Amino acid sequence: MSTMSLTPTRRDLLAAAAAAGAIGFLPGAALTAGADDSIRPFTVNIPQEEITELRLRIAATRWPDQETVNDRSQGIQLAKLQAIVRYWGTDYDWRKGEAKLNALPQFMTEIDGLDIHFLHVRSKHPNALPLIMTHGWPGSVFELLKTVGPLTDPTKHGGSPEDAFDLVLPSMPGYGFSGKPKGTGWKPDRIARAWAELMERLGYGRYVAQGGDWGSPISSAMARQAPRGLLGIHINLPATIPPDVAAVLASGGPAPAGLTEKERAAFSSLDTFYKKYRAYAAMMGTRPQMIGYALTDSPVGLAAFMYDYNNGEPERLLSKDEMLDDVTLYWLTNSATSSARLYWETMGQSVLLAAAQKTAEISLPVAITVFPEEVYRAPETWARRAYRNLIYFNEVDKGGHFAAWEEPELFSAELRAAFRSLRPAH
């Protein structure tokens, strides 16, 4: 992988950032000179030979035999994957995906010894609320791009100027163009501290945070740590599983007595997820290096592993190009292993259980949106037990695990509503 990054003088850096409308400073805020906390403009520029090599590897795929059933119960079906891979190796154009990223201001900065890649898009509207959003696995900043317009320019998307956000979209450590940790310890709590440092470095004195998938435990960790300036969080995969229910799920026992209809439905969907679809997390949580040996050498293996997530139906609301932008990013940045280690760092816990820890310690405002095709529909009763300062809870009628990617307009409308009460009066 190769990228082009610039390291200009401090004056050139600030001038370039201002011209791009990418960095907003509070009065008196400043970037300290020096390699450790400088912010460097960043452009994606993958050499053509790497794209050519990818296509050659795809063409040379050695395929397994066909599944012995007529459904997805053994994994993604051979014919379906072959059709996707055929398109990937011939018609898919990475340069279009690359252009999506390069159309927005991108930067790199070192935090806690690791380079962090992030997009920073300022709204044209004054008094926009700064918002840091975190992607998950097997996602990337690609899954958030369709929300940039609705969130930064709400007047074009059914909102008002008072609904505007300034966006900070970082790539998690080990994901995309961010650096790969060389040691252990990069858990949600540490990433949360890095995000708080990033927002402070950008000069934001008041801001909010949002996350789904791994972004949920990271945003929840931020709320628990309550760094200076954080007003509240919004999550769309909330850690609402009560401890007694989590214990039953872990043991494989039947649903606890006394559950409401919605709680029983949530338990049932979680039970199905844990029994049938969570093998990916178990593998990454216990043997990320072994996963890497296979997925780093085979682009089709990587595509199949990522495709099978979300019940093996990423094309339900995503185009082939959108899905392949994400898979290709993982391939070109060689991040199959480094991204998997986040599961190992949390001892193989699911995103839900990783986020469920210590929710009672969160005193900052929490907002939740439940999307109907998520891993499970979090009942409001569980949400109120988990978060003592729940300021917003809403169940919408469409969207799933990749809500920002699948339903960007609805997702953006939810964030406007969720954070409206936290905006400073002007």
Coordinates of all heavy atoms in Angstrom, one line a residue, residues 137-193:
W137 N -16.5 -3.1 12.6 CA -16.0 -4.2 11.7 C -17.2 -5.0 11.2 O -18.1 -5.2 12.0 CB -15.1 -5.2 12.5 CG -14.5 -6.2 11.7 CD1 -13.2 -6.2 11.2 CD2 -15.1 -7.5 11.3 NE1 -13.0 -7.4 10.4 CE2 -14.2 -8.1 10.5 CE3 -16.3 -8.1 11.4 CZ2 -14.4 -9.4 9.8 CZ3 -16.6 -9.3 10.8 CH2 -15.7 -9.9 10.1
P138 N -17.2 -5.4 9.9 CA -16.1 -5.2 8.9 C -16.3 -3.9 8.1 O -16.3 -3.9 6.9 CB -16.3 -6.4 8.0 CG -17.8 -6.7 8.0 CD -18.3 -6.2 9.4
G139 N -16.6 -2.8 8.8 CA -16.8 -1.5 8.1 C -15.5 -0.7 8.1 O -14.4 -1.2 8.3
S140 N -15.7 0.6 7.8 CA -14.6 1.5 7.7 C -15.2 2.9 7.5 O -16.5 3.0 7.6 CB -13.8 1.2 6.4 OG -14.6 1.4 5.2
V141 N -14.4 3.9 7.3 CA -15.0 5.2 7.1 C -15.9 5.3 5.9 O -16.8 6.1 5.8 CB -13.9 6.3 6.9 CG1 -13.2 6.5 8.3 CG2 -12.9 6.0 5.8
F142 N -15.8 4.3 5.0 CA -16.7 4.2 3.8 C -18.1 4.1 4.3 O -19.0 4.7 3.6 CB -16.4 3.0 2.9 CG -15.4 3.3 1.9 CD1 -14.2 2.5 1.8 CD2 -15.6 4.2 0.9 CE1 -13.2 2.8 0.8 CE2 -14.6 4.4 -0.1 CZ -13.5 3.7 -0.1
E143 N -18.4 3.4 5.4 CA -19.8 3.3 5.8 C -20.5 4.5 6.3 O -21.7 4.6 6.5 CB -19.9 2.2 6.9 CG -19.4 2.5 8.2 CD -19.5 1.4 9.2 OE1 -18.6 0.5 9.2 OE2 -20.5 1.4 10.0
L144 N -19.7 5.6 6.5 CA -20.2 6.8 7.1 C -20.3 7.9 6.0 O -20.8 9.0 6.3 CB -19.3 7.3 8.2 CG -19.1 6.3 9.4 CD1 -18.1 6.9 10.4 CD2 -20.4 6.0 10.0
L145 N -19.7 7.7 4.8 CA -19.6 8.8 3.9 C -20.9 9.4 3.4 O -21.0 10.6 3.1 CB -18.8 8.3 2.6 CG -17.3 8.0 2.9 CD1 -16.6 7.7 1.5 CD2 -16.6 9.0 3.6
K146 N -21.9 8.6 3.3 CA -23.2 9.1 2.8 C -24.0 9.9 3.8 O -25.0 10.6 3.4 CB -24.1 7.9 2.3 CG -23.6 7.2 1.1 CD -24.6 6.3 0.4 CE -24.8 5.0 1.2 NZ -25.7 4.0 0.5
T147 N -23.5 10.0 5.0 CA -24.1 10.9 6.0 C -23.4 12.3 6.0 O -23.9 13.2 6.6 CB -24.0 10.3 7.4 OG1 -22.6 10.3 7.8 CG2 -24.5 8.9 7.5
V148 N -22.3 12.5 5.3 CA -21.6 13.7 5.3 C -22.5 14.9 4.8 O -22.6 15.9 5.5 CB -20.3 13.6 4.5 CG1 -19.6 15.0 4.4 CG2 -19.3 12.7 5.2
G149 N -23.1 14.7 3.7 CA -24.0 15.8 3.2 C -25.1 16.1 4.1 O -25.3 17.3 4.5
P150 N -25.9 15.1 4.5 CA -27.1 15.4 5.4 C -26.7 16.0 6.7 O -27.4 16.8 7.3 CB -27.7 14.0 5.6 CG -27.3 13.2 4.4 CD -26.0 13.7 4.0
L151 N -25.5 15.6 7.3 CA -25.1 16.1 8.6 C -24.5 17.5 8.5 O -24.7 18.3 9.4 CB -24.2 15.1 9.3 CG -24.9 13.8 9.7 CD1 -23.8 12.8 10.3 CD2 -26.0 14.0 10.8
T152 N -23.7 17.7 7.5 CA -23.0 19.0 7.5 C -23.8 20.1 6.7 O -23.6 21.3 7.0 CB -21.6 18.9 6.7 OG1 -21.8 18.4 5.4 CG2 -20.7 17.9 7.5
D153 N -24.7 19.7 5.9 CA -25.5 20.6 5.1 C -27.0 20.2 5.2 O -27.6 19.8 4.2 CB -25.1 20.6 3.6 CG -25.6 21.8 2.9 OD1 -26.3 22.7 3.5 OD2 -25.4 21.9 1.7
P154 N -27.6 20.3 6.4 CA -28.9 19.8 6.6 C -30.0 20.5 5.8 O -31.1 19.9 5.5 CB -29.1 20.0 8.1 CG -28.2 21.1 8.5 CD -27.0 20.9 7.6
T155 N -29.8 21.8 5.4 CA -30.8 22.5 4.7 C -31.1 21.9 3.3 O -32.2 22.1 2.7 CB -30.4 24.0 4.4 OG1 -29.1 24.0 3.8 CG2 -30.3 24.7 5.8
K156 N -30.2 21.1 2.8 CA -30.4 20.4 1.5 C -31.0 19.0 1.8 O -31.3 18.3 0.8 CB -29.1 20.2 0.8 CG -28.5 21.5 0.2 CD -27.3 21.2 -0.7 CE -26.8 22.5 -1.3 NZ -25.6 22.2 -2.2
H157 N -31.2 18.6 3.0 CA -31.7 17.3 3.3 C -32.8 17.3 4.4 O -32.9 16.4 5.2 CB -30.5 16.4 3.8 CG -29.4 16.3 2.8 ND1 -29.4 15.3 1.9 CD2 -28.3 17.1 2.6 CE1 -28.3 15.4 1.2 NE2 -27.7 16.5 1.5
G158 N -33.7 18.3 4.3 CA -34.8 18.3 5.2 C -34.6 18.8 6.6 O -35.5 18.8 7.4
G159 N -33.5 19.4 6.9 CA -33.2 19.9 8.2 C -33.1 21.4 8.1 O -33.3 22.1 7.1
S160 N -32.7 22.0 9.3 CA -32.5 23.5 9.3 C -31.0 23.8 9.6 O -30.3 22.9 10.0 CB -33.4 24.0 10.4 OG -33.0 23.6 11.7
P161 N -30.6 25.0 9.4 CA -29.2 25.4 9.7 C -28.8 25.0 11.2 O -27.6 24.7 11.4 CB -29.2 26.9 9.5 CG -30.3 27.1 8.5 CD -31.3 26.2 8.9
E162 N -29.8 25.1 12.1 CA -29.5 24.8 13.5 C -29.2 23.3 13.7 O -28.7 22.9 14.8 CB -30.6 25.2 14.4 CG -30.8 26.7 14.4 CD -31.5 27.3 13.2 OE1 -32.2 26.5 12.5 OE2 -31.3 28.5 12.9
D163 N -29.4 22.5 12.7 CA -29.1 21.0 12.8 C -27.7 20.6 12.4 O -27.4 19.4 12.4 CB -30.2 20.2 12.0 CG -31.6 20.3 12.5 OD1 -31.7 20.3 13.8 OD2 -32.5 20.4 11.7
A164 N -26.9 21.6 11.9 CA -25.6 21.3 11.3 C -24.6 20.7 12.3 O -24.6 21.0 13.4 CB -25.1 22.5 10.6
F165 N -23.8 19.8 11.7 CA -22.6 19.2 12.4 C -21.3 19.5 11.7 O -21.3 19.5 10.4 CB -22.8 17.7 12.6 CG -24.0 17.3 13.4 CD1 -25.2 17.1 12.9 CD2 -23.8 17.1 14.8 CE1 -26.3 16.6 13.7 CE2 -24.8 16.7 15.6 CZ -26.1 16.4 15.0
D166 N -20.3 19.7 12.4 CA -18.9 19.5 11.9 C -18.5 18.0 12.2 O -18.7 17.6 13.3 CB -17.9 20.4 12.6 CG -18.1 21.9 12.2 OD1 -18.7 22.1 11.2 OD2 -17.6 22.7 12.9
L167 N -18.0 17.3 11.2 CA -17.8 15.9 11.3 C -16.3 15.6 11.4 O -15.5 16.1 10.7 CB -18.4 15.2 10.1 CG -19.9 15.1 10.0 CD1 -20.2 14.2 8.8 CD2 -20.5 14.6 11.2
V168 N -16.0 14.7 12.3 CA -14.7 14.0 12.4 C -14.9 12.5 12.3 O -15.6 12.0 13.2 CB -14.0 14.4 13.7 CG1 -12.6 13.7 13.8 CG2 -13.9 15.9 13.9
L169 N -14.3 11.9 11.3 CA -14.5 10.5 11.0 C -13.2 9.8 11.0 O -12.5 9.7 10.0 CB -15.3 10.3 9.7 CG -16.5 11.1 9.4 CD1 -17.0 10.8 8.0 CD2 -17.6 10.9 10.4
P170 N -12.8 9.2 12.2 CA -11.5 8.6 12.2 C -11.6 7.1 11.8 O -12.6 6.4 11.9 CB -11.1 8.7 13.7 CG -12.4 8.7 14.4 CD -13.4 9.4 13.5
S171 N -10.5 6.6 11.3 CA -10.3 5.1 11.1 C -9.7 4.5 12.4 O -8.7 5.0 12.9 CB -9.4 4.8 9.9 OG -9.9 5.3 8.7
M172 N -10.3 3.5 12.9 CA -9.9 2.9 14.1 C -8.4 2.3 13.9 O -8.0 2.0 12.8 CB -10.8 1.7 14.5 CG -12.1 2.2 15.0 SD -13.0 0.8 15.9 CE -13.3 -0.3 14.6
P173 N -7.7 2.3 15.0 CA -6.3 1.7 14.9 C -6.4 0.3 14.3 O -7.2 -0.5 14.7 CB -5.9 1.6 16.4 CG -6.6 2.8 17.1 CD -8.0 2.8 16.4
G174 N -5.5 0.0 13.4 CA -5.5 -1.3 12.7 C -6.5 -1.4 11.6 O -6.5 -2.4 10.9
Y175 N -7.2 -0.3 11.3 CA -8.2 -0.3 10.2 C -7.9 0.7 9.2 O -7.4 1.8 9.5 CB -9.6 0.0 10.8 CG -10.3 -1.1 11.6 CD1 -9.8 -1.4 12.8 CD2 -11.4 -1.8 11.1 CE1 -10.4 -2.4 13.6 CE2 -12.0 -2.7 11.9 CZ -11.5 -3.1 13.1 OH -12.1 -4.1 13.9
G176 N -8.1 0.4 7.9 CA -7.9 1.4 6.8 C -6.5 2.0 6.9 O -5.5 1.3 7.0
F177 N -6.5 3.3 6.7 CA -5.2 4.0 6.6 C -4.6 4.4 8.0 O -3.5 5.0 8.0 CB -5.4 5.2 5.7 CG -5.7 4.8 4.3 CD1 -7.0 5.1 3.8 CD2 -4.8 4.2 3.5 CE1 -7.3 4.7 2.5 CE2 -5.1 3.8 2.2 CZ -6.4 4.1 1.7
S178 N -5.3 4.1 9.1 CA -4.7 4.3 10.4 C -3.5 3.3 10.6 O -3.5 2.2 10.0 CB -5.7 4.2 11.5 OG -6.5 5.3 11.6
G179 N -2.6 3.6 11.5 CA -1.5 2.8 11.8 C -1.9 1.5 12.5 O -3.0 1.4 13.1
K180 N -1.1 0.5 12.4 CA -1.3 -0.8 13.0 C -0.6 -0.9 14.3 O 0.6 -0.7 14.3 CB -0.9 -2.0 12.1 CG -1.6 -2.0 10.7 CD -1.0 -3.1 9.9 CE -1.8 -3.3 8.6 NZ -1.8 -2.1 7.7
P181 N -1.3 -1.1 15.4 CA -0.6 -1.2 16.7 C 0.5 -2.3 16.7 O 0.3 -3.4 16.2 CB -1.7 -1.6 17.7 CG -2.9 -1.1 17.0 CD -2.7 -1.2 15.6
K182 N 1.7 -2.0 17.2 CA 2.8 -2.9 17.3 C 2.8 -3.7 18.6 O 3.6 -4.6 18.8 CB 4.1 -2.2 17.1 CG 4.2 -1.5 15.8 CD 4.0 -2.4 14.6 CE 4.1 -1.6 13.3 NZ 3.8 -2.5 12.1
G183 N 2.0 -3.3 19.5 CA 1.9 -3.9 20.8 C 0.4 -4.1 21.2 O -0.5 -3.7 20.5
T184 N 0.2 -4.6 22.4 CA -1.2 -4.9 22.9 C -1.7 -3.7 23.6 O -1.0 -2.7 23.9 CB -1.2 -6.1 23.8 OG1 -0.3 -5.8 24.9 CG2 -0.7 -7.3 23.1
G185 N -3.0 -3.7 23.9 CA -3.6 -2.7 24.7 C -4.5 -1.7 24.0 O -5.2 -0.9 24.7
W186 N -4.7 -1.9 22.7 CA -5.6 -1.0 22.0 C -7.0 -1.5 22.1 O -7.6 -2.0 21.1 CB -5.2 -0.7 20.6 CG -4.1 0.3 20.4 CD1 -2.7 0.1 20.3 CD2 -4.3 1.7 20.4 NE1 -2.1 1.3 20.3 CE2 -3.0 2.3 20.3 CE3 -5.4 2.5 20.5 CZ2 -2.8 3.7 20.3 CZ3 -5.2 3.9 20.4 CH2 -3.9 4.5 20.3
K187 N -7.6 -1.3 23.3 CA -9.0 -1.7 23.5 C -9.9 -0.5 23.4 O -9.4 0.7 23.2 CB -9.1 -2.3 24.9 CG -8.2 -3.5 25.2 CD -8.4 -4.0 26.6 CE -7.4 -5.1 26.8 NZ -7.6 -5.7 28.2
P188 N -11.2 -0.6 23.5 CA -12.1 0.5 23.4 C -11.8 1.7 24.3 O -11.9 2.8 23.9 CB -13.5 -0.1 23.7 CG -13.4 -1.5 23.1 CD -12.0 -1.9 23.5
D189 N -11.4 1.4 25.5 CA -11.0 2.5 26.4 C -9.9 3.3 25.9 O -9.9 4.6 26.0 CB -10.7 1.9 27.8 CG -11.9 1.6 28.7 OD1 -13.0 1.6 28.1 OD2 -11.7 1.4 29.9
R190 N -8.9 2.7 25.3 CA -7.7 3.4 24.8 C -8.1 4.2 23.6 O -7.6 5.3 23.4 CB -6.6 2.4 24.6 CG -5.2 3.1 24.2 CD -4.1 2.1 24.2 NE -2.8 2.7 23.8 CZ -1.7 1.9 23.7 NH1 -1.7 0.6 23.9 NH2 -0.6 2.5 23.4
I191 N -8.9 3.6 22.7 CA -9.3 4.3 21.5 C -10.2 5.5 21.9 O -10.0 6.6 21.3 CB -10.1 3.4 20.6 CG1 -9.2 2.2 20.1 CG2 -10.6 4.1 19.4 CD1 -10.0 1.1 19.4
A192 N -11.0 5.3 22.9 CA -11.8 6.5 23.4 C -10.9 7.6 23.9 O -11.2 8.8 23.6 CB -12.7 6.0 24.6
R193 N -9.9 7.3 24.6 CA -8.9 8.4 25.0 C -8.3 9.0 23.8 O -8.1 10.3 23.8 CB -7.9 7.8 26.0 CG -8.5 7.5 27.4 CD -7.4 7.2 28.4 NE -6.7 5.9 28.1 CZ -7.1 4.7 28.5 NH1 -8.1 4.6 29.3 NH2 -6.4 3.7 28.2

